[in-house]
Amino acid sequence: MSTRTGEKYLSDSGSPLSHGGSGSWEFNRNEVRPVEWVLLFLVFGINVPVWTMIAILRGIGESRMPAPGETAAPANRMRPDEVAIVIPAHDEEGGIAKSITSALRIVPAANVHVLADGCRDRTAEIAAGFGVRVLDLSPGRGKAGAIEAAIGHFDITHRFGALLIVDADTEVDPDYLTNGLPMLDDPRYAAVAGYVRTPWTPQAHTFIGRLLISYRSRLWTIMQWMRYGQSWRYINVTPIVPGFAGMYRTSVLPRMDINPPGLIIEDFNMTFELHHKRLGKIAFSPSVQAWTEDPDNLRDYYQQVRRWALGLWQTLRRHGAWFGRFWFATAVFMLEVVSSSLIILGLVVVGALMALGPLTGGWVLDWPVYREVHSALEPWLSAYNVVFFLFLPDYLITCVVAVLRRRPSLLVYGFGFLLVRFIDAAATMWTLYRVWRANSSGRWTSPRRLPPVLPPRGQAEAPLASEMSSPAQARWVVLRDAMVVLPVAAVVGLALADVLSAVLVAVLLVAAAVVTISWRRRPRREVAAVGSATGDRPPGRV
């Protein structure tokens, strides 16, 4: 490398941070490049701020209304024994027991229907041991096909007032129906979307698993901020009733095409059916919740994201466009998804090209082609604006979620969330390419499950995942990860610039202090089992 080329590489700066004579970095307020706005758009987007503001307005409005318990229940309110629970399962012998156990806490055994869809293990046998109804489908028909078969086989439409679809890796909250059924008092509502909760048992996962589950925890929080606004009764543009725990009024089921050919998942299609055919509104509340497992390894995680993305693209292709605020809101959301995915993938490619300079000591700048590419890219992207306009804003969101969820562990794993976003972007764009080539049957392969939790000696049933947390053990695992992650982050910050490390350390200290102060242990709730020897049943439950 020539001396002149090396000097050029060391002196040029593509950031609004200019190097002063004292060795510090000064911000040039007169030069703000478009790339900074692009990076901020990548972090915050349009949908998240807009729907969060609407969610806040909804929350303010509903805070002035009487609580459900303060008003008399109407005479026609649906009872829990009028709700059918359907649990589609494919090779779920390791997790089906906990899902059935949670279902039996809210409805009688005769209301629970397990669909063993092409199972090659003991799923059907284990389910039958609980005394619930079992439909063994061989060969498998996929989740949508199994649900459609159960509705016809068990005559669910005529025997029940509502259908609750629960995944085999989901544990329904004991108060799901207590809080969800009042939403169906209004005949204009056709479905209730469940609120996703992720069990946090870090000692049961690897570091990669803890990273992926922590990212999902943040993602669910953000998406449900949006859904709380999207499901406001004045708007009603919720794009999905999640299939892990969604409840439908059975009167709308005959008018829905639940199992159209060529779709890999059912929940997007069922939601679009509600909107497209104007069958009713979708209700959503954080009090209507369920606990579900997220993949804890890269293979299962990528396959799940790819399956979800492909199902969304297939649903959009099937239903097409129609006039209305739902389609407008969905179109804006999808445009943001595509543009953000392209930006993330582009940043990775550009970052790899820009990293060749410092990694090789600058000698690659002697290559004419690379020197021209580097000169073109350097004014637009540098490590400094990536940190200030991408990483730190994204980490700020993680800090906010950590405070709201009382999860200080998010501060540790939040350093790797941008890497997980790259996986999401790659899966999204790959499936967009594949949607015109793939014709799915709806069959699926279950991801790796945690070993089943056996009930303690003398107890009839296993506790919910939400009741299994061991705070002391979990904190020790997170602390060990922090001792690895934080020194690496400090070294990277020092390698970039002194000011960056100072800002990073300040953010970490403030965030850690705020979250630690707000992190209070919640009292464990006593849960009454269904069908106990005394026959006592909690209000609103069976």
Side-chain angles (χ1 to χ4, degrees):
M1 180 185 68
S2 64
T3 305
R4 183 174 181 181
T5 302
E7 291 176 352
K8 178 182 184 301
Y9 173 76
L10 295 174
S11 62
D12 287 350
S13 175
S15 167
L17 290 168
S18 59
H19 191 269
S22 62
S24 62
W25 291 91
E26 299 175 355
F27 187 78
N28 186 355
R29 297 172 182 240
N30 298 323
E31 184 181 6
V32 178
R33 302 182 185 280
V35 69
E36 279 97 40
W37 295 108
V38 172
L39 296 176
L40 290 175
F41 166 79
L42 180 61
V43 175
F44 297 105
I46 298 174
N47 284 274
V48 172
V50 169
W51 292 117
T52 298
M53 290 301 301
I54 295 177
I56 293 173
L57 293 175
R58 175 185 172 181
I60 294 174
E62 293 183 349
S63 65
R64 301 175 180 177
M65 300 173 61
E70 299 176 0
T71 58
N76 62 343
R77 173 169 295 174
M78 205 176 302
R79 303 186 310 273
D81 58 3
E82 298 179 83
V83 178
I85 294 183
V86 167
I87 307 177
H90 174 71
D91 293 342
E92 292 281 4
E93 65 178 2
I96 191 66
K98 62 183 180 182
S99 182
I100 297 176
T101 298
S102 70
L104 292 176
R105 299 186 183 199
I106 60 176
V107 298
N111 292 39
V112 180
H113 309 77
V114 175
L115 317 177
D117 186 58
C119 294
R120 297 162 296 180
D121 59 4
R122 299 176 57 248
T123 297
E125 179 185 345
I126 294 173
F130 283 87
V132 302
R133 300 175 184 268
V134 179
L135 179 60
D136 197 348
L137 299 172
S138 183
R141 306 184 186 183
K143 185 178 178 181
I147 294 172
E148 184 180 52
I151 292 174
H153 181 81
F154 295 112
D155 196 19
I156 288 176
T157 302
H158 298 97
R159 295 174 53 236
F160 299 96
L163 171 65
L164 173 57
I165 302 173
V166 178
D167 280 347
D169 63 343
T170 296
E171 301 174 14
V172 185
D173 186 78
D175 291 323
Y176 186 101
L177 296 181
T178 303
N179 299 320
L181 289 179
M183 296 183 175
L184 296 180
D185 291 344
D186 189 338
R188 294 175 297 177
Y189 284 90
V192 177
Y195 186 92
V196 184
R197 300 298 299 269
T198 302
W200 178 237
T201 53
Q203 61 274 15
H205 306 281
T206 64
F207 177 83
I208 295 297
R210 293 189 285 272
L211 170 64
L212 295 175
I213 293 172
S214 297
Y215 172 77
R216 277 287 177 81
S217 181
R218 190 189 82 157
L219 178 65
W220 295 147
T221 302
I222 296 173
M223 296 300 293
Q224 289 170 156
W225 284 344
M226 296 171 55
R227 191 173 299 142
Y228 189 72
Q230 292 166 338
S231 59
W232 199 10
R233 63 181 182 274
Y234 303 116
I235 299 174
N236 189 42
V237 294
T238 308
I240 183 173
V241 177
F244 83 107
M247 184 164 58
Y248 295 84
R249 196 186 296 273
T250 55
S251 59
V252 305
L253 296 178
R255 302 169 60 187
M256 298 173 62
D257 189 358
I258 297 176
N259 186 32
L263 299 187
I264 193 171
I265 58 176
E266 87 298 338
D267 45 10
F268 278 117
N269 175 66
M270 293 180 69
T271 307
F272 274 61
E273 286 280 314
L274 292 176
H275 289 292
H276 201 174
K277 297 179 179 179
R278 302 182 183 276
L279 301 179
K281 296 183 177 181
I282 298 171
F284 175 75
S285 171
S287 63
V288 184
Q289 60 185 351
W291 301 78
T292 188
E293 285 188 29
D294 287 311
D296 65 350
N297 59 87
L298 290 174
R299 178 179 176 273
D300 287 343
Y301 181 87
Y302 178 76
Q303 288 184 349
Q304 187 184 74
V305 174
R306 189 176 61 181
R307 182 170 173 263
W308 288 351
L310 180 59
L312 175 56
W313 295 125
Q314 289 175 338
T315 302
L316 290 169
R317 183 186 66 179
R318 175 179 181 266
H319 285 270
W322 68 89
F323 181 77
R325 61 175 177 266
F326 169 74
W327 182 256
F328 176 77
T330 302
V332 173
F333 176 73
M334 295 312 303
L335 286 174
E336 184 174 314
V337 168
V338 173
S339 58
S340 298
S341 299
L342 291 174
I343 292 172
I344 291 176
L345 298 177
L347 284 175
V348 172
V349 174
V350 172
L353 291 174
M354 298 294 291
L356 289 177
L359 290 177
T360 60
W363 65 264
V364 293
L365 290 171
D366 289 333
W367 298 355
V369 175
Y370 178 82
R371 185 167 57 248
E372 294 178 4
V373 172
H374 184 275
S375 300
L377 295 177
E378 188 182 22
W380 299 97
L381 190 66
S382 68
Y384 302 100
N385 49 33
V386 167
V387 171
F388 274 108
F389 295 96
L390 180 60
F391 172 76
L392 288 180
D394 184 82
Y395 195 77
L396 175 63
I397 294 178
T398 301
C399 295
V400 173
V401 173
V403 172
L404 294 177
R405 298 296 297 269
R406 296 175 181 175
R407 282 277 302 275
S409 59
L410 294 177
L411 301 177
V412 176
Y413 305 105
F415 287 96
F417 286 172
L418 288 176
L419 299 178
V420 185
R421 289 193 65 181
F422 168 73
I423 298 175
D424 290 352
T428 299
M429 298 314 299
W430 173 247
T431 52
L432 178 58
Y433 162 74
R434 290 288 301 168
V435 69
W436 304 107
R437 299 169 175 263
N439 190 25
S440 305
S441 64
R443 299 172 185 170
W444 78 100
T445 301
S446 300
R448 185 183 74 89
R449 305 298 189 198
L450 293 177
V453 179
L454 299 177
R457 181 175 299 178
Q459 185 172 323
E461 56 187 22
L464 292 173
S466 57
E467 302 166 348
M468 285 296 298
S469 60
S470 173
Q473 190 175 7
R475 291 173 186 174
W476 171 243
V477 173
V478 174
L479 180 61
R480 286 187 303 176
D481 290 341
M483 289 187 293
V484 175
V485 171
L486 295 183
V488 174
V491 170
V492 173
L494 289 171
L496 292 175
D498 291 340
V499 65
L500 292 185
S501 60
V503 171
L504 193 58
V505 171
V507 170
L508 287 174
L509 291 177
V510 172
V514 172
V515 175
T516 302
I517 293 174
S518 66
W519 192 12
R520 299 187 301 271
R521 291 185 62 183
R522 299 180 180 179
R524 294 179 63 179
R525 188 170 44 187
E526 295 295 333
V527 181
V530 176
S532 60
T534 61
D536 295 334
R537 296 169 179 173
R541 308 178 202 164
V542 176

